[in-house]
Amino acid sequence: TWFGVTVSNGRVINLDLPNNNLNGTLPAAFGNLTALSLLELGNNQLSGTIPPEIGNLTNLTVLRLGSNQLSGSIPATIGNLTNLTKLILSSNQLSGSIPAAIGNLRALSALFIYSNQLSGSIPTEIGNLANLTILYLNNNQLSGSIPAIIGNLTKLIVLYLSENQLSGSIPASFGNLTACQNFGIGNNQFTNLPLLPESMVNSAYIPGNYFTFDDIVPN
């Protein structure tokens, strides 16, 4: 009978508490809630780190911790959550690199980790997420080149990489992203733009890079 808490067969299966002025840290004891399928704590005032015990929640399908004040790195144990379809960690103060283990989340359809302080390169393992339709990595401090394997994510409808420190050429494999209808790579350090699918061109946000008319005119 608790607000936002759903229990089935004596086990907590949903914690649905967005927009509730919750503060404090995420307890490691969350790792005991192994029947949990939904953990929704977005738009609160939670701080501290994401405990590695979150990786025990292997029945989770939705994990939303966005719009809090969480810091530290994304624990590699998040790669244990292979039933996740939505992972929302955006608008926090998370730092460090995106763990390669995120490539284990092959059921994932939406990945939101924008507006943090993440650095390092985009892991090639993201190319394993063949069911992704939405990928937001914008407004971080990511650097290096875009892995060409992202061009394998042919279900992508939204791809935002803007406001980072990414460089090099946009991979020619982006020509495979024919379902993509929202595409942002502005305010990086990119130098070459290949021929893109028409759906991407119609929505492309590309300023603040080092493109020339030789890149732009063919598109």
Side-chain angles (χ1 to χ4, degrees):
T1 60
W2 289 353
F3 173 80
V5 180
T6 305
V7 176
S8 177
N9 297 319
R11 300 299 308 277
V12 177
I13 59 170
N14 290 345
L15 279 177
D16 192 4
L17 296 166
N19 304 296
N20 273 282
N21 297 311
L22 296 175
N23 57 29
T25 59
L26 296 174
F30 268 9
N32 297 331
L33 300 177
T34 53
L36 207 60
S37 64
L38 181 145
L39 180 54
E40 162 62 282
L41 300 175
N43 295 292
N44 282 293
Q45 300 168 25
L46 298 169
S47 59
T49 60
I50 301 173
E53 289 81 3
I54 205 93
N56 296 344
L57 309 183
T58 54
N59 286 304
L60 272 184
T61 59
V62 176
L63 174 58
R64 184 181 177 206
L65 302 174
S67 298
N68 279 287
Q69 300 164 22
L70 298 171
S71 59
S73 60
I74 300 172
T77 54
I78 215 159
N80 298 342
L81 309 182
T82 54
N83 288 307
L84 274 186
T85 60
K86 294 182 181 179
L87 176 57
I88 303 168
L89 304 176
S90 48
S91 299
N92 279 289
Q93 299 163 23
L94 298 170
S95 59
S97 59
I98 300 171
I102 213 161
N104 298 337
L105 309 182
R106 301 191 182 209
L108 209 60
S109 64
L111 176 56
F112 296 81
I113 49 178
Y114 63 86
S115 296
N116 280 289
Q117 299 166 20
L118 297 169
S119 58
S121 59
I122 299 171
T124 58
E125 289 79 3
I126 278 185
N128 297 336
L129 307 182
N131 289 303
L132 268 188
T133 60
I134 300 173
L135 178 57
Y136 280 92
L137 303 180
N138 50 300
N139 197 22
N140 279 289
Q141 299 167 20
L142 299 171
S143 59
S145 58
I146 300 175
I149 197 170
I150 287 183
N152 292 349
L153 305 181
T154 55
K155 293 183 180 180
L156 276 179
I157 298 171
V158 178
L159 174 58
Y160 278 111
L161 304 173
S162 303
E163 284 83 39
N164 278 290
Q165 299 166 22
L166 297 165
S167 58
S169 300
I170 303 300
S173 60
F174 273 34
N176 301 330
L177 303 181
T178 55
C180 191
Q181 300 172 17
N182 291 279
F183 176 54
I185 52 173
N187 299 316
N188 281 286
Q189 300 165 23
F190 294 123
T191 51
N192 293 291
L193 190 68
L195 193 63
L196 300 173
E198 184 176 353
S199 59
M200 293 182 79
V201 171
N202 287 341
S203 66
Y205 176 75
I206 66 169
N209 287 289
Y210 297 116
F211 299 131
T212 70
F213 280 109
D214 289 338
D215 300 305
I216 295 168
V217 169
N219 283 292

